Every structure is written in C-alpha cells, then in structure tokens.
Amino acid sequence: MPEIPKEDHWELYLDIITTMRLREFDLTEIQQFSDQVGKNLDTEMDSKPKIYITCHLGFCKAAISVLILNGIDKIALIVDENTYNKQAKTILEINERFCKLFQVTNSLKVINVEKANTVIEISQLIKKGYSLYAYLDGNSGYKGVYNKEKTIKVDFLADHLYSRTGLAKIAYFTKTPIVPFITYYSEDKLHPHVHFFEEIPVDTTANIDDFSDRAIRLIYSHFEKYIKKYPNQWEAWFYLHKYLSNDVLLNKDQTIDILKLEKKDMENGKFAVFKIDDNAYLFDRLYYVVYPISQEQFTLLKNQ
C-alpha cells in the first residue's frame, strides 16, 4: 500500500498490535459479541459441511464462536505446524470451557496442515460431517509457508503474491462449497463485525485447476477490499514477506554498496535488516527492494 506515508507506519504497527491483543477475549466477551454479530447474518447457517475461509483481520480467531453459536457443531480448524505445536492444546481447552459454560455441544478438531497425508485426513472429516475453518493468508501447507510449489500468482493490493490452492482443491474433490468471510472491528475498536460473502459452489464442469484458480483469486479480491479499508487490523503484515514472489527476495541483479551506508540510514528507518532462516537481507523501505547480504554484513548493519 504505497499510498500510506512512511511516517504513518509506526502508528499502524501499534494498531495491529492492539488488534491482536483485543483477540484475547475471555469466554463471557466471546459469548457477548458472538450473539451480537450472529443476529446480523444475512443468511441462516445450516449444518452441512462447508469450507469457511477467512484471513487474519479483526477478531478472526474468536470468530469461530460465531459458527458454533449458529449451529455448526463439527469444525476442523486448519492451522500451521507452529500454531499446532504451541496452541492446539490451549484451543481445545478453551473450546471445552466454552461448551460447559454456555451449554453448547460441539466437536472441534485442530489439524496440522503441514504434515503428510493431511488432505486425506481432512477429506475423511468432511465425509463425517465436519466443516473446515481456515485462514487463506497464512499460506501454510505441506512443507511450510516458504514452499511455493503448486501455488498461483495472485494480484493483490499494489503488487502480487503466491498463494496455495489446497483448500479450493479439497472443495473440488469433496464437492464441498466454500464460504469466504471477513471479520473486522469498528474504527473505535469497540464493535466486532463479520461479513459472509456469497457461497462459492463447486463447478464440476471446470477442471480442478481452473476452479481452484478462480476461487482463490475471488477470495483474495474479497479480502483486499476490507484490508484496504482496515490495514491497521491485518496481522499478516508481519509475515507477508514469506510468500511474496521469489523475484523480490532473490533478485541477484540488485546491487548496493554496503560500505556507503551510513549510521543515519539505519536510524532514520530508510533501511532495515532481517533474516529468513539462515539467509540475511537488507530491506530498502522506501523502494521496497530486498538485497541479499552476508552474515557479517547483517551483524554490522544490525549493530549500527
């Protein structure tokens, strides 16, 4: 979003952190706002298996309670391996407390999408009546978020990114409709809102790749409108670089003389350094250009 001035970035960052903290509701607050947004749904939910796809905007994590309180009693939450290892147990404990406190009966499963044979496991759960709840902008899947195999190039905001298509292909294989939706807070951060987009039925007259491409692009176009309006509520700014084009991160034609950089260049925020795994990079914030650098250069610039 090049239209956002650099001097506004710090405030935007603080807003995103605030939004992430707002998600840490206790069960009473979850019940309260789930009732509120549940009454504003355009269409009545049914319990038939569907693939609910959202992104990390607004109160996206607690929004699963909206489905539960509207009769979706079997849900498989799709997460990356890191979330599974660190949060799966806590998520299930919270769900159990939620059920007991508000006398709700539901079955919640947390699925690690990065392990092998996950597609088979998910397909079997759909056959057993489970709906999926997934975040498209996490871009997680087999082999992790950096893997760009079997991805498609999607126009997004002022550039493009590479997105996985696994959720759409599961929909095609299992003939399960996709329900994209978005969550966000009001400008004052006091009122949560949810908007469900038109259901995407499986088009069996198209081949699987064509259907998947169209579905993923359509979902991102829906998300883009709300992210443009509420960029300060989108958590994915913190990891968007993980699934940008390889051309951005690995463009060997870009060169820069590290020795000409001055301390003020780092202090005024024109440049920054970061690492992905063991690879180090210098980031030009003004022109959004990334330069591969050595570990020694990384250490030198980080200490300036």
Side-chain angles (χ1 to χ4, degrees), residues 57-71:
L57 188 77
F59 70 103
C60 58
K61 294 185 178 179
I64 197 168
S65 62
V66 175
L67 303 187
I68 295 172
L69 292 172
N70 281 274

Side-chain angles (χ1 to χ4, degrees), residues 75-81 83-84 88 92 108-115 117-119 121-122 125 130 132-133 140:
I75 301 174
L77 174 62
I78 310 301
V79 300
D80 61 89
E81 188 169 65
T83 301
Y84 181 85
L92 293 173
L108 176 65
K109 295 185 181 296
V110 183
I111 307 299
N112 174 9
V113 73
E114 293 185 24
K115 68 180 182 181
N117 299 321
T118 302
V119 172
E121 180 182 5
I122 290 174
L125 285 172
Y130 280 82
L132 305 187
Y133 188 104
S140 54

Side-chain angles (χ1 to χ4, degrees), residues 152 203 206-207 209-219:
I152 59 171
D203 181 8
N207 67 52
D209 290 328
D210 288 342
F211 169 77
S212 301
D213 284 14
R214 287 200 300 268
I216 296 300
R217 295 182 200 283
L218 176 59
I219 295 170

Side-chain angles (χ1 to χ4, degrees), residues 281-294:
Y281 302 93
L282 174 70
F283 178 41
D284 186 328
R285 295 173 182 268
L286 183 60
Y287 294 103
Y288 208 79
V289 176
V290 177
Y291 306 93
I293 57 177
S294 68

Side-chain angles (χ1 to χ4, degrees), residues 27 30 77 86-101 106 108-110:
L27 295 181
I30 289 177
L77 174 62
K86 294 183 177 180
Q87 301 181 34
K89 182 179 178 181
T90 301
I91 291 170
L92 293 173
E93 288 175 350
I94 291 175
N95 181 68
E96 185 176 350
R97 288 163 52 203
F98 182 87
C99 292
K100 289 180 179 178
L101 188 58
N106 81 296
L108 176 65
K109 295 185 181 296
V110 183

